[in-house]
Amino acid sequence: MPAFHTYKNPALATDLVVFGYQDKALSVLLLNRKEAPFKNGWTLPGAFVGLEETLAEACRRILDTKLGLRSIYLEQLYTFDTPNRDPRGRVISVAHFALVSQGKLTAVAGKMANDVRWFPVTDIPVLGFDHRQILSAAQERLRAKILYQPVGFELLDENFTMPELQDLYECILGHSIDRRNFRRKILDAGFVELTGEKKEGLQNRPADYYNFNKKLLPQHFHLNL
Amino acid sequence: MPAFHTYKNPALATDLVVFGYQDKALSVLLLNRKEAPFKNGWTLPGAFVGLEETLAEACRRILDTKLGLRSIYLEQLYTFDTPNRDPRGRVISVAHFALVSQGKLTAVAGKMANDVRWFPVTDIPVLGFDHRQILSAAQERLRAKILYQPVGFELLDENFTMPELQDLYECILGHSIDRRNFRRKILDAGFVELTGEKKEGLQNRPADYYNFNKKLLPQHFHLNL
DNA sequence: TTCCGTTTGCGTTATTTTGACACAAACAAA
DNA sequence: TTTGTTTGTGTCAAAATAACGCAAACGGAA
């Protein structure tokens, strides 16, 4: 038996699908590469995984140093290993996806280098590597997840109105929902509560602000939308 | 930038959760290790991933050479990277789970080395590495999956009766279901059809044989059981 | 002020789905 | 024939869902 680390293994990387919600649209952070391969092409942010860090730590490192994002929702998505997915050689990528709330999104937008941009998921450019496939998998996961876990709140501010929440759901699910039925199902699920405040200063009737109540959270529900 | 494969990367492995269904019980293939670490302890079958093979190929290799199983259902589960999950060093494992039908199960049972055994999921011994965690994740995935994809049929023979199918569902879900409601929901989902044959030779009323009909498959349904 | 267009909040009703049963049919064994 | 057990089919009340009406609360125009 040879020494342990002399085994020839594929290289290990992480790629990140960072979702944000702004201007009534779900969007993704893309990075314009300055180096080959795919020079000047758009890709997901990613990096190789070091010997001393976990996958999550590698993701946090990317989020922090490349994008200036901290303490946001992060989840492992899938591990991609198509043979020629990276022209440089054999690289296996453990893809993750992250959710950025509106508050943090706007706060960081200015700090970002001009080679990092938000793209609405409805208008994604050609992506390098197999990142189009990764992005599609992330969207599918998010679609499924939003129906049984309170993950959508990671994309909104602490306080949000029912119409705002509904528009988010519609963006992610890709179809429109009846206002009144949506409201009823969300309230029945029982993980939001009224704050008592209203969204004033608008043109129409003020909307009630709601709050994601972690104490009431059933941690497992099922929305039929 | 150093030569590509001089990056220090964690070692990459695969571990397999092979599910079988026999004697009205869901069971898992476990391997008794002949070498350290966890010598004489039970673990999931696994192997390191070579440079020239995909993850799926590595899994097929294990299934074929170690267990004598071919062309069975295989799916990626999750990638485990807890720092000290392997006492030999930093190993990241892309766990998969496989489903073996009763026919193939019995055909191969005899060929298996005596250090490989089926264990009912209700009676699992202490496992090495983080394999208990992997097994639990696989069970959870299977529980969820059986409700919206026709994956349970991979565990049965081509022809099966409704009571057999129900018992399988009950084993995986972990709770009993009303016979009549179960039948109705399965038939409403519309991916099984009567073969016309009956399971004769038993003590009681013969049960109708059903068939998993791939042509009728909606590929996306939702069972509420 | 009054009227209008728009959005929000709250409700109703018909339909569908679900959960909990009852009962007869088909076998083997007594 | 009778009994015990399992399978196939149907019923019915309760719950969940989809579709929809209507008044309240704003800003802006008349």
Side-chain angles (χ1 to χ4, degrees), chain B residues 162-163 179-180 183-184 203-208:
Chain B
M162 200 56 81
R179 282 169 38 231
R180 297 146 281 190
R183 173 187 300 269
R184 183 188 38 185
Q203 194 166 356
N204 308 313
R205 174 174 183 172
D208 293 328

Side-chain angles (χ1 to χ4, degrees), chain B residues 34-102:
Chain B
K34 293 180 178 175
E35 306 167 355
F38 303 106
K39 187 172 180 178
N40 298 326
W42 293 98
T43 62
L44 299 172
F48 287 99
V49 178
L51 258 180
E52 307 298 332
E53 62 185 355
T54 65
L55 295 171
E57 284 167 358
C59 291
R60 302 278 179 204
R61 175 168 57 81
I62 299 171
L63 288 169
D64 190 359
T65 62
K66 289 193 182 181
L67 310 173
L69 294 167
R70 293 195 182 190
S71 43
I72 63 176
Y73 182 89
L74 181 68
E75 176 179 327
Q76 189 188 117
L77 176 62
Y78 194 79
T79 299
F80 292 83
D81 73 325
T82 307
N84 295 320
R85 55 179 299 282
D86 192 319
R88 291 169 294 185
R90 182 116 173 82
V91 180
I92 287 179
S93 173
V94 184
H96 290 66
F97 75 93
L99 305 178
V100 186
S101 68
Q102 293 185 306

Side-chain angles (χ1 to χ4, degrees), chain A residues 81-155:
Chain A
D81 72 325
T82 307
N84 295 321
R85 55 179 301 280
D86 192 320
R88 291 170 293 184
R90 183 117 172 82
V91 180
I92 288 178
S93 173
V94 185
H96 290 66
F97 75 93
L99 305 178
V100 186
S101 68
Q102 293 184 307
K104 295 186 178 179
L105 182 150
T106 52
V108 176
K111 297 184 184 177
M112 294 192 308
N114 57 4
D115 57 349
V116 180
R117 282 228 311 259
W118 290 101
F119 286 84
V121 292
T122 54
D123 187 28
I124 299 290
V126 174
L127 299 183
F129 304 104
D130 56 351
H131 288 186
R132 175 29 109 171
Q133 189 184 345
I134 295 179
L135 172 56
S136 296
Q139 281 188 257
E140 198 175 334
R141 171 75 66 90
L142 186 59
R143 260 196 300 272
K145 192 132 197 163
I146 205 173
L147 295 178
Y148 62 90
Q149 280 194 12
V151 76
F153 304 95
E154 305 287 345
L155 289 163

Side-chain angles (χ1 to χ4, degrees), chain A residues 181-199:
Chain A
N181 294 336
F182 177 81
R183 174 186 299 271
R184 175 171 45 84
K185 288 176 182 177
I186 292 290
L187 291 178
D188 283 353
F191 46 85
V192 298
E193 60 178 1
L194 279 168
T195 64
E197 301 176 10
K198 290 173 183 291
K199 184 162 188 173

Side-chain angles (χ1 to χ4, degrees), chain B residues 114-135:
Chain B
N114 56 4
D115 58 348
V116 179
R117 282 228 311 260
W118 289 100
F119 285 84
V121 291
T122 53
D123 188 27
I124 300 290
V126 175
L127 299 183
F129 304 105
D130 57 349
H131 288 186
R132 175 29 108 170
Q133 188 185 344
I134 295 179
L135 172 56

